[in-house]
Amino acid sequence: MLLKPGSGITRIAKRLSLLPLALAGCGLQEVVDSERVHPLDGVKLVRASVASPTDPSTIGRPEYLIDSDSRLLMRLESLQEHADEIRTDEGYSLKLVVTPIASSASGREEARARLQLCALARNWMMLATWKRGHPFDATGKWSTPGGDYDSEQCFSPELTEEGLLVFTVTPWFVMEVRGRGRNYGFVLMASAPVTIRGDGSSAQGPWLQWTQSSAIIYPRRR
């Protein structure tokens, strides 16, 4: 089930388990799965024609145009804080969701075919531009204009019945966030122009969704 930001926890899972016998005196442990939706708080457009790192057209916009000369850098800054609670076993996955702006089913299908999401290979800041990940010294310059990314960690989206584009990025999460303890995020690229809802678009901007497990221990009743 795909959720949208603002919908809260809409599914409580279903598993009850007894504590091991050694801890039986503590009572019952309930393992609760819940769906979590987090709007991305690091969203920055980089465009070949824009040199200023603070250009207002590159941040906080209700929509963004992605094309051959315009890309979107994206991440959830606090993702590492949730790493141990996100389920990736038994078919569970981490999803990045974007909303294409298209008035027809064929337009949404075109957006699906044109977009690609790739894992960034270097860190960046919200002052990033087409040529630089940050403006402060020589280390900030991208090796490739538009953002350095790992071509072996690229993802294509699926189109849902609701017209959303869903990238399943679980392999990146397991390797980068859990395995290497780093979160450089992604760059969204398009082979031909695609417009998507931006982070200034209320509940329809890019977001991450996952299933989170939490254990609740109830004291033994006396």
Side-chain angles (χ1 to χ4, degrees):
M1 178 170 58
L2 197 64
L3 310 178
K4 291 185 178 181
S7 60
I9 302 173
T10 62
R11 180 167 64 89
I12 301 295
K14 304 149 181 151
R15 299 180 303 147
L16 282 175
S17 62
L18 291 175
L19 283 170
L21 291 177
L23 299 177
C26 296
L28 288 175
Q29 173 181 260
E30 181 180 6
V31 180
V32 179
D33 285 351
S34 56
E35 294 291 343
R36 300 288 179 170
V37 173
H38 287 260
L40 301 186
D41 52 7
V43 178
K44 180 65 188 292
L45 186 74
V46 293
R47 194 162 59 232
S49 60
V50 176
S52 171
T54 58
D55 189 291
S57 68
T58 63
I59 55 174
R61 307 304 298 173
E63 59 186 56
Y64 294 107
L65 172 65
I66 315 298
D67 59 22
S68 59
D69 294 319
S70 182
R71 298 175 176 178
L72 198 63
L73 311 181
M74 300 187 293
R75 67 180 165 199
L76 177 64
E77 300 286 355
S78 62
L79 183 58
Q80 188 71 54
E81 299 174 11
H82 305 280
D84 292 339
E85 301 169 333
I86 296 174
R87 293 200 64 183
T88 56
D89 61 324
E90 300 179 1
Y92 287 92
S93 59
L94 178 68
K95 299 179 176 69
L96 191 151
V97 185
V98 300
T99 306
I101 299 177
S103 57
S104 65
S106 61
R108 290 185 285 273
E109 174 58 29
E110 284 183 352
R112 183 206 63 77
R114 293 174 177 179
L115 287 176
Q116 184 180 46
L117 186 76
C118 294
L120 284 164
R122 292 178 59 186
N123 213 348
W124 56 280
M125 300 176 63
M126 290 298 289
L127 295 172
T129 63
W130 185 257
K131 293 184 178 181
R132 302 182 65 88
H134 64 76
F136 296 114
D137 54 40
T139 64
K141 186 177 181 180
W142 299 118
S143 298
T144 303
D148 300 335
Y149 63 89
D150 183 350
S151 61
E152 295 185 358
Q153 292 194 78
C154 291
F155 306 91
S156 298
E158 296 181 0
L159 179 63
T160 71
E161 293 181 358
E162 299 84 4
L164 302 173
L165 295 175
V166 180
F167 299 87
T168 299
V169 296
T170 317
W172 165 85
F173 171 74
V174 172
M175 178 181 294
E176 298 293 329
V177 180
R178 276 199 183 139
R180 295 173 175 166
R182 68 186 189 189
N183 173 25
Y184 295 160
F186 303 94
V187 57
L188 183 66
M189 303 178 290
S191 59
V194 175
T195 302
I196 68 165
R197 298 289 181 190
D199 51 324
S201 179
S202 181
Q204 294 188 336
W207 73 85
L208 280 177
Q209 179 177 329
W210 64 78
T211 300
Q212 178 171 308
S213 290
S214 302
I216 303 174
I217 297 177
Y218 297 95
R220 183 178 59 182
R221 293 182 179 179
R222 297 182 182 277

